[in-house]
Amino acid sequence: MGDKRTAIAAWRRVPRSIWTIGFVSFFMDISSEMIHALLPLYMVGVLGTSTLAVGIIEGIAEATAAITKVFSGALSDWLGKRKLLVALGYGIAALTKPIFPLAPHIGFLVAARFIDRIGKGIRGAPRDALITDITPPDLRGAAFGLRQSLDTAGALLGPLLAILFMALFSENFTLVFWIAVVPAFLSAGLAVFAVEDPKRGDGQHKVRAPLSRKELAKLGATYWWVVIVGSAFTLARFSEAFLVLKAQDIGVSIALVPSIMVVMNVAYFLSAYPVGALSDRMNRLSLLASGLLLLLAADLVLAFAPGVAGLALGATLWGLHMGFTQGLLSTLVADTAPPTLRGTAFGMFNLVTGLALLLASVIAGAIWDGMGPTGTFIGGAIFTLLTLAGLLPLRERIGMSHKNET
């Protein structure tokens, strides 16, 4: 009962600005996931793209975002302002959405994904640094968990709407892509008019060269351990596009294939905030280790469990793993980064993990083409075991850092 009251109190104490940022993410994810739930099928089934190419495209898109985050995060530290870059990033993402229904061939889709991910890169690190700036240290887990839950709620609603509109409009990909444009522009409007920078003390933001060796050295050894941990996590998983392709592989109809993302995101949505709030009261790395065990179980189920029931269970475990890890990794960066270098810290973290995601997605696509879906998910399980073995020795270091911060 006491823990429940504490969780409710944390929910009520989360700053209002976190809710605003969360709803910006909510609307953009509705738009993005309406498109992304269908895009692998559209590329493979309509445009004739190989699954290896899907993996490469997804990996390059995310790596582009990661590289951009380094510079946007550092720029936000240099400016001492985050909101401008957050609004710019969401605005660019909104402007790319009409390209998807207009694209005549794969080149346009690659360009749209590329530009969209640049927008994501511009907003990502400044947004996470902004969350850290406006949230008390004892509520960081709850704040990142809440934003992640709202983000995931949009990711949940997006595929549901994709299923609905694909059924209503006779599997008309182009029309569904056009409908997805609307929430993207709602998100950009909120980012421009409702998000605000906090007031800063004199001299707090004066960082002359955030990406210089001198400034990067100030991030400290514990922060770089967090980067290593996050990179290992990213290598152990790959793009959720392969869950969609798994659904198609077992014979789920095209109109219902996006339901796999719905199942995954229900689990993600329900777990992200409770796990984040819980992490404010216990060792964060213990929860991350639990997330790895959930990923291991998801990979094994998706590799060996037959039929729709196995697919649904695997997607549920995958979503729970996301809820146990993604918000907590951001919280660990917030815990270990100096206040004047938070944007740079989030940017560097996302650069390294983005490159890891590129590698993971390419490997997954190549294994799928060579060995099929079972080989892909067995490979994921092997990477997960290696990550778990490397994660455990870091528990004391990161746990002590969190304890000292709070």
Side-chain angles (χ1 to χ4, degrees), residues 239-255:
S239 171
E240 288 81 18
F242 291 95
L243 299 181
V244 174
L245 293 173
K246 171 70 175 181
Q248 185 184 41
D249 182 74
I250 66 171
V252 177
S253 67
I254 290 178

Side-chain angles (χ1 to χ4, degrees), residues 23-35:
F23 278 108
V24 170
S25 296
F26 171 75
F27 285 115
M28 185 57 72
D29 256 44
I30 289 176
S31 174
S32 295
E33 294 305 323
M34 282 183 68
I35 293 172

Side-chain angles (χ1 to χ4, degrees), residues 78-376:
W78 183 76
L79 292 172
K81 296 182 181 296
R82 322 281 192 197
K83 182 261 177 73
L84 173 64
L85 294 168
V86 172
L88 177 63
Y90 280 103
I92 289 174
L95 291 174
T96 65
K97 293 300 188 283
I99 298 176
F100 289 95
L102 293 172
H105 55 74
I106 190 67
F108 279 79
L109 294 179
V110 173
R113 282 287 284 155
F114 182 80
I115 298 170
D116 174 74
R117 296 299 89 175
I118 289 177
K120 180 179 180 180
I122 289 172
R123 70 185 185 248
R127 181 201 63 209
D128 290 343
L130 179 59
I131 291 172
T132 310
D133 290 344
I134 61 183
T135 305
D138 64 328
L139 287 173
R140 282 178 184 160
F144 279 103
L146 179 61
R147 191 211 69 83
Q148 197 68 63
S149 284
L150 288 170
D151 182 274
T152 307
L156 167 62
L157 187 56
L160 284 173
L161 291 174
I163 293 171
L164 174 63
F165 292 129
M166 285 289 280
L168 287 177
F169 301 118
S170 303
E171 300 183 359
N172 187 328
F173 284 96
T174 301
L175 182 56
V176 176
F177 289 164
W178 273 119
I179 295 171
V181 171
V182 176
F185 278 85
L186 287 175
S187 171
L190 271 178
V192 171
F193 297 109
V195 173
E196 297 181 357
D197 278 307
K199 294 181 180 179
R200 295 171 179 267
D202 292 339
Q204 181 181 350
H205 64 269
K206 294 180 180 178
V207 181
R208 295 182 180 276
L211 294 177
S212 67
R213 180 179 300 180
K214 178 181 178 181
E215 295 294 340
L216 292 177
K218 294 179 181 178
L219 292 173
T222 304
Y223 163 78
W224 289 109
W225 276 117
V226 172
V227 173
I228 293 170
V229 169
S231 301
F233 264 88
T234 306
L235 280 173
R237 67 179 184 89
F238 35 80
S239 171
E240 288 81 18
F242 291 95
L243 299 181
V244 174
L245 293 173
K246 171 70 175 181
Q248 185 184 41
D249 182 74
I250 66 171
V252 177
S253 67
I254 290 178
L256 292 178
V257 161
S259 62
I260 188 65
M261 300 301 293
V262 174
V263 172
M264 187 202 78
N265 282 308
V266 166
Y268 193 177
F269 165 70
L270 291 176
S271 59
Y273 172 74
V275 170
L278 184 61
S279 77
D280 289 325
R281 305 191 298 281
M282 66 176 290
N283 186 281
R284 304 206 203 281
L285 210 61
S286 297
L287 291 171
L288 286 172
S290 299
L292 270 176
L293 293 175
L294 288 166
L295 177 59
L296 176 62
D299 282 327
L300 293 176
V301 168
L302 290 166
F304 297 112
V308 174
L311 177 66
L313 177 58
T316 300
L317 291 168
W318 192 285
L320 288 173
H321 131 261
M322 296 289 284
F324 269 74
T325 60
Q326 300 308 293
L328 293 190
L329 287 170
S330 295
T331 307
L332 284 170
V333 174
D335 286 343
T336 56
T340 56
L341 290 171
R342 283 170 177 159
T344 304
F346 278 106
M348 290 299 299
F349 176 83
N350 284 289
L351 170 64
V352 178
T353 56
L355 293 175
L357 181 60
L358 169 60
L359 180 60
S361 295
V362 171
I363 292 172
I367 295 175
W368 188 292
D369 280 349
M371 302 175 61
T374 298
T376 298

